[in-house]
Amino acid sequence: MTVHLEPDSNIPNQRLAKQLPVHWREFAIESLIRVAGVSTIGFVALILAFLLLEGAPAFWQTSWRVLLGQRWYPIFGIYGILPLVLGSLLVTAGAVVIAVPLGLATAIFVAEIAPRWLREILKPLIEVIAGVPSVVLGFLGMVAVAPLIRQELGIPTGLTALTGSLMLAYMALPTIITIAEDALDAVPTTYRDGAYALGATQWQTIWRVIVPAARSGILVAIMLGIGRVVGETMAVMMVTGNAARMPMELDAILRPVRTMTATIAAEMGEVARGSTHYHVLFVIGLVLFVLTFIVNAIASLLTIGARERRGGRLMR
Amino acid sequence: MVLVPQSQRRPSQRMKSTPIRGIWACMIFCLALSACRVPEGTSPTPGAAQTIQNKGSDTMVNLALAWAEAYTAKHPEIRIAVTGGGSGTGIAALINRTADIANASREMKPEEKAEARANGIEPVEHTVAGDAIAVVVHPSNPVDRLTIDQISDIFTGAITNWSQVGGENRPIVLLSRESNSGTHVYFLETVIRKGQPDNNALFSPDTLLMPSSEGISNEIRQNPNAIGYDGLGYVTPDQKVIAVGVSAAGPFVLPNATTVKDGSYPIARFLYMYTAGEPTGAIRDYLDWIRGPEGQAIVAELGFVPLAEEKE
């Protein structure tokens, strides 16, 4: 690849180049980029510090036993966050189970199978889904999806973890599809040519060559999708029913749950600054932060592993 | 499957226009959306106009809006910004001095009063309207009367099937407002705990906490299993109101302006506005107008209960 070093047809810049030594400009730009990069770490550290600072008083104002309880009723000092954590995990797991296979299949179709004209239509359409505000989706879920689920499955109410999972899956799909599609698209054409030359069918090429080659990108797509799902609030608040119950039964997915995000959103307006309830809400925020951190850590570990394996194979 | 000929296979270089077109589609979509949004919170404009910040109870938000509209139509120099969020939110805003008037569908708690005094604010209570809490079910539900004891057992989870209170064999789905709602606290204290101070009953953990009154009416409208409660002003014809009795012997009374005024409907309360200290100037005039005949006419119009004449 060739890099254009001289700025072409940009007269003010050329004048500047004559007045100042080149290394000064380079130094300025380099330090700007360095500051931008390092400040990101700083921001994350600050957020964590703030969460710890605001959440910590909860641990001595109540006790671990109260915080790990099975009942959430904050206006009477009952702060068991276990049902909220399990509720979030259940809704997230449901959404991932729905969205990942669907998203991957769509990405493979868009990247590998669809003719070019169809791809040109599908890509922007999928990106538009990402722009639908979650309030709108939540309202749709409340008015249209929940009654349908109640009637079709014959359950007491349609405001369940499953409804939340469906809405969240819909929201995570554009993220998963676009990023996975980019990863599949980035697989060099020589891989496909090689597979076809060996007599592989299109399906064999996709499943045995292209998908494994794009594995790290696909994992990133899935993890970003999970991140979107864990953090989503508005739609979840509207369709999951917000009952802070322990989702321990086999059919828990068909019953109402309350998630951590919905709890923070619903109650932050009411709490007085500095009250125990206020600090406990920050503890929930801290749990959410740690959860997303774990998801991301797993993702980067997996992608580093995948990259090394692929690189190793290529070298031989 | 057959080998795909080279010409039909994907080009190695994707067409440049695709992602750009996608971005354009998103941008146009976002622009269209942002155009629909109304800027939040009205900041006081410099000049003669005075802005009254009015915040609190979701039960009262429509009433407060109707008052504000009617009042500003007559007094264009006054601006009134009305927001909901729940009684607790409104009182917190009054304490933090971000609201001039806090709407509350319950009385201030002693802790809240103490907190206000710690902030140098002496909250003053103004009774502005009466309200009944209607217990509502789906129109197809054959149950039309319940005692306070039965409602309490239903909401604590002791009764879980409609057949236990004379209905069909269906599971009961409990609907409640969020715990920051004054209506939630009132219902808990008056109905679930039956007004007994030593009663520690709580809502069943299976209770669905709906983020808004609209959420409750929406679920009541479409779910034959559901039971919920709401301010009288939120009851629409597509919900069935339960007649409530203090004892099994009756009488069972439906909530309306008459039964609330004569005290025969057991789950009734006042709606309040709180100010920081005795109100003066524009806020004083506004509160006087609300409690006067014009303000109370709007109360009746919206389905709430006007204050009795002797309360003036």
Side-chain angles (χ1 to χ4, degrees):
Chain A
M1 230 205 226
T2 53
V3 180
H4 295 277
L5 283 175
E6 49 180 340
D8 31 24
S9 79
N10 201 336
I11 296 153
N13 261 4
Q14 271 176 354
R15 234 179 250 154
L16 199 73
K18 270 173 202 162
Q19 284 164 2
L20 295 164
V22 177
H23 64 263
W24 187 88
R25 281 168 60 206
E26 240 172 53
F27 173 77
I29 292 168
E30 258 179 33
S31 33
L32 199 77
I33 291 172
R34 189 169 297 131
V35 166
V38 173
S39 61
T40 314
I41 304 171
F43 290 144
V44 175
L46 278 177
I47 290 171
L48 182 62
F50 187 74
L51 284 177
L52 282 172
L53 211 68
E54 293 287 357
F59 293 112
W60 55 80
Q61 285 178 6
T62 70
S63 67
W64 279 102
R65 291 235 326 266
V66 173
L67 284 172
L68 293 176
Q70 304 194 353
R71 185 82 212 260
W72 175 260
Y73 208 105
I75 53 173
F76 289 100
I78 304 170
Y79 301 112
I81 61 173
L82 221 51
L84 311 177
V85 175
L86 292 177
S88 274
L89 290 180
L90 180 68
V91 173
T92 307
V96 169
V97 165
I98 298 165
V100 168
L102 212 61
L104 280 190
T106 313
I108 290 171
F109 176 76
V110 172
E112 302 293 327
I113 298 166
R116 190 198 282 186
W117 63 269
L118 187 58
R119 187 158 61 233
E120 298 301 316
I121 298 171
L122 280 177
K123 275 220 75 171
L125 275 181
I126 291 164
E127 280 152 12
V128 162
I129 296 178
V132 178
S134 58
V135 178
V136 174
L137 276 180
F139 192 58
L140 220 68
M142 201 171 95
V143 177
V145 181
L148 200 73
I149 284 183
R150 179 178 59 77
Q151 280 157 9
E152 293 305 313
L153 301 178
I155 47 180
T157 174
L159 300 170
T160 60
L162 177 66
T163 322
S165 295
L166 279 173
M167 300 326 285
L168 284 177
Y170 186 80
M171 264 178 261
L173 274 176
T175 313
I176 296 178
I177 294 170
T178 40
I179 296 171
E181 199 262 354
D182 280 344
L184 292 168
D185 195 53
V187 175
T189 329
T190 49
Y191 282 38
R192 295 181 185 85
D193 293 341
Y196 290 132
L198 288 170
T201 62
Q202 192 183 15
W203 171 245
Q204 285 170 333
T205 309
I206 291 171
W207 196 241
R208 298 283 177 77
V209 178
I210 299 171
V211 171
R215 182 168 43 195
S216 63
I218 289 174
L219 275 171
V220 170
I222 293 172
M223 292 303 161
L224 282 176
I226 294 178
R228 174 111 166 84
V229 164
V230 174
E232 212 293 323
T233 308
M234 204 58 221
V236 171
M237 194 158 102
M238 291 166 87
V239 301
T240 56
N242 295 322
R245 54 191 300 286
M246 293 291 285
M248 297 307 279
E249 311 83 356
L250 282 173
D251 63 342
I253 189 96
L254 298 179
R255 290 166 181 242
V257 290
R258 188 178 180 96
T259 63
M260 293 187 276
T261 49
T263 304
I264 296 176
E267 291 169 12
M268 68 181 176
E270 150 209 22
V271 297
R273 260 188 94 99
S275 62
T276 310
H277 188 185
Y278 173 86
H279 295 303
V280 173
L281 288 186
F282 273 95
V283 171
I284 298 177
L286 201 61
V287 174
L288 265 172
F289 185 92
V290 170
L291 270 182
T292 37
F293 184 81
I294 291 172
V295 168
N296 283 325
I298 292 172
S300 30
L301 283 178
L302 285 175
T303 46
I304 290 166
R307 211 166 281 152
E308 273 169 0
R309 272 199 296 283
R310 203 174 84 211
R313 208 174 285 158
L314 271 178
M315 295 300 272
R316 262 173 233 138
Chain B
M1 274 243 170
V2 212
L3 269 181
V4 183
Q6 181 76 45
S7 59
Q8 280 180 24
R9 232 180 293 154
R10 58 173 308 99
S12 61
Q13 190 72 34
R14 91 174 20 255
M15 247 179 69
K16 276 238 166 68
S17 70
T18 317
I20 294 170
R21 204 181 292 169
I23 292 165
W24 270 112
C26 283
M27 275 174 67
I28 291 169
F29 194 71
C30 294
L31 269 176
L33 282 173
S34 58
C36 303
R37 279 180 50 183
V38 179
E40 246 178 271
T42 22
S43 53
T45 42
Q50 188 187 349
T51 303
I52 300 176
Q53 293 287 347
N54 182 355
K55 199 168 187 173
S57 168
D58 281 327
T59 308
M60 291 169 69
V61 77
N62 284 344
L63 183 60
L65 270 173
W67 275 330
E69 268 170 33
Y71 190 73
T72 44
K74 290 176 67 192
H75 302 266
E77 75 282 2
I78 306 285
R79 290 160 176 270
I80 302 170
V82 180
T83 36
S87 304
T89 313
I91 291 168
L94 188 76
I95 295 170
N96 298 335
R97 296 175 195 270
T98 53
D100 301 307
I101 302 176
N103 301 339
S105 56
R106 58 170 169 82
E107 283 180 52
M108 258 174 111
K109 296 178 204 162
E111 314 88 273
E112 286 169 335
K113 283 187 178 157
E115 207 182 322
R117 287 191 191 110
N119 261 16
I121 290 172
E122 181 59 42
V124 177
E125 180 183 292
H126 310 268
T127 311
V128 290
D131 184 26
I133 309 284
V135 178
V136 285
V137 294
H138 189 264
S140 76
N141 196 325
V143 175
D144 54 9
R145 51 168 60 180
L146 291 170
T147 63
I148 296 273
D149 285 339
Q150 282 174 323
I151 298 173
S152 172
D153 284 346
I154 287 172
F155 275 93
T156 53
I159 293 176
T160 55
N161 196 297
W162 281 110
S163 60
Q164 290 169 273
V165 287
E168 295 167 46
N169 180 20
R170 287 173 171 281
I172 299 177
V173 171
L174 305 170
L175 305 180
S176 162
R177 292 292 316 284
E178 283 286 352
S179 53
N180 61 348
S181 155
T183 317
H184 177 108
V185 176
Y186 177 84
F187 194 80
L188 179 72
E189 285 170 357
T190 317
V191 182
I192 293 181
R193 295 182 170 174
K194 304 166 201 170
Q196 303 154 353
D198 53 340
N199 191 331
N200 286 325
L202 290 178
F203 277 92
S204 154
D206 285 307
T207 310
L208 277 64
L209 299 185
M210 311 303 280
S212 64
S213 295
E214 179 48 36
I216 291 190
S217 30
N218 186 57
E219 183 72 0
I220 289 285
R221 218 173 279 144
Q222 62 197 2
N223 192 340
N225 309 315
I227 183 168
Y229 62 88
D230 228 333
L232 204 48
Y234 281 90
V235 176
T236 47
D238 46 15
Q239 304 170 27
K240 180 173 170 181
V241 181
I242 296 277
V244 179
V246 180
S247 69
F252 289 89
V253 186
L254 281 169
N256 56 46
T258 327
T259 55
V260 171
K261 268 188 189 159
D262 66 19
S264 57
Y265 186 72
I267 330 173
R269 59 171 176 183
F270 285 114
L271 302 177
Y272 304 97
M273 279 182 162
Y274 283 93
T275 52
E278 269 308 323
T280 51
I283 298 174
R284 166 94 266 167
D285 293 343
Y286 182 46
L287 283 170
D288 285 344
W289 176 84
I290 284 175
R291 291 155 63 90
E294 281 177 68
Q296 293 304 305
I298 293 173
V299 170
E301 219 171 90
L302 288 188
F304 292 95
V305 182
L307 298 173
E309 295 301 317
E310 61 271 15
K311 283 241 21 139
E312 294 292 301

